[in-house]
Amino acid sequence: MKSTVGVIGLGLMGRPMSMNILKAGHPLTVWNRTASRADELVAAGARLAKSPHEVAAASDFLITMVSDPPALEDVLWGANGAMAALKRGSIYMDSSTVSPALARRIAAACAERGVKFLDAPVTGGDWGARKGELVFMIGGDAETLKEAEPVIGVMGKKWFHLGPNGAGQTIKLAMNAILALQVGALAEAIALVTGAGLPAEKLVEVMQSSMARSGVLDVKAPNLVKGEYVPSFPLRLMHKDLGLALDLANQLGVPLPATAAARETYSAVKGAAKEDLDYSAVMKFWKR
């Protein structure tokens, strides 16, 4: 029998993740602050709830996918929040990117209610969400993960059990810092090459045949070269994740000078942006 699934948060990632859950035959209840974002899912058979509380009450397996820690705290503990309605014995999986400390706080609250919790942020972009090819970074109990795999498997192609609650978020923040640094470095190199009067495509062509080649280069280099920044991973969220990584580093006493410098660059672009842009729009720092 298919688990009854609930999803809270229907943005760039949550909506396609939800569609794959529906396609796999799971009864699905959803909620989003802007209800119209659920229209496509409702047309495909999902039920739209009136609150996060209602989603949790209807679900054996709850997933949250929201933008930042305040948004997550609000859907869990705010008015009509989900936490109070989670069913004993159910699984709750948060796939937002938040702090490890918040993940552990949620785990403790779930334990008090007899709920099994996984922090499970993802990577793969909105295209990976649409194809059901996300990669999950998971913190929590190994047995809970095993129980959750049938649902995770309709959204992702791979998942890693990384340790106790908080481990998934720690790895995600470290990885996003690397992605931000890689794209920032590529933008800086392109500025150097074009400043010398050479086309950016020449740099990319050489990089594709060198040790500098990477998945980020494959996906983001065309954005930087063309100056097209339709968000698949919004810059505002990368900026948030760099802040979370620096907060964690401060707590641990680990210096992150390159990450701190990158955040200043992303801050400048975010502050000047008039629209929602992909994080590859960091290129705009050199085009001012």
Side-chain angles (χ1 to χ4, degrees), residues 69-229:
L72 183 57
E73 291 176 339
D74 187 53
V75 299
L76 290 178
W77 290 294
N80 294 309
M83 183 60 73
L86 284 167
K87 297 191 285 187
R88 182 170 292 275
S90 66
I91 294 174
Y92 166 38
M93 185 173 83
D94 175 48
S95 289
S96 319
T97 301
V98 297
S99 69
L102 179 54
R104 289 189 287 269
R105 180 183 160 205
I106 293 168
C110 285
E112 290 177 0
R113 301 190 63 82
V115 174
K116 293 167 273 192
F117 174 67
L118 298 171
D119 54 289
V122 300
T123 188
D126 61 331
W127 65 91
R130 288 193 298 270
K131 292 179 179 179
E133 294 180 354
L134 293 171
V135 175
F136 287 79
M137 292 151 274
I138 297 175
D141 180 70
E143 287 302 311
T144 300
L145 172 55
K146 191 171 184 61
E147 193 178 341
E149 283 178 351
V151 176
I152 295 172
V154 306
M155 299 179 286
K157 64 179 179 180
K158 198 160 190 174
W159 45 93
F160 296 90
H161 183 227
L162 300 166
N165 286 122
Q169 295 295 350
T170 301
I171 296 293
K172 176 65 188 293
L173 293 178
M175 193 184 69
N176 275 10
I178 293 170
L179 296 180
L181 287 165
Q182 284 181 307
V183 172
L186 177 58
E188 193 169 297
I190 286 174
L192 181 64
V193 166
T194 55
L198 298 172
E201 291 87 346
K202 295 298 182 185
L203 171 64
V204 174
E205 183 181 355
V206 173
M207 289 178 71
Q208 291 286 23
S209 298
S210 76
M211 287 287 287
R213 187 174 182 223
S214 70
V216 174
L217 178 68
D218 294 340
V219 174
K220 298 300 182 184
N223 297 25
L224 274 67
V225 170
K226 296 175 185 175
E228 297 175 356
Y229 309 116

Side-chain angles (χ1 to χ4, degrees), residues 7 148 191:
V7 177

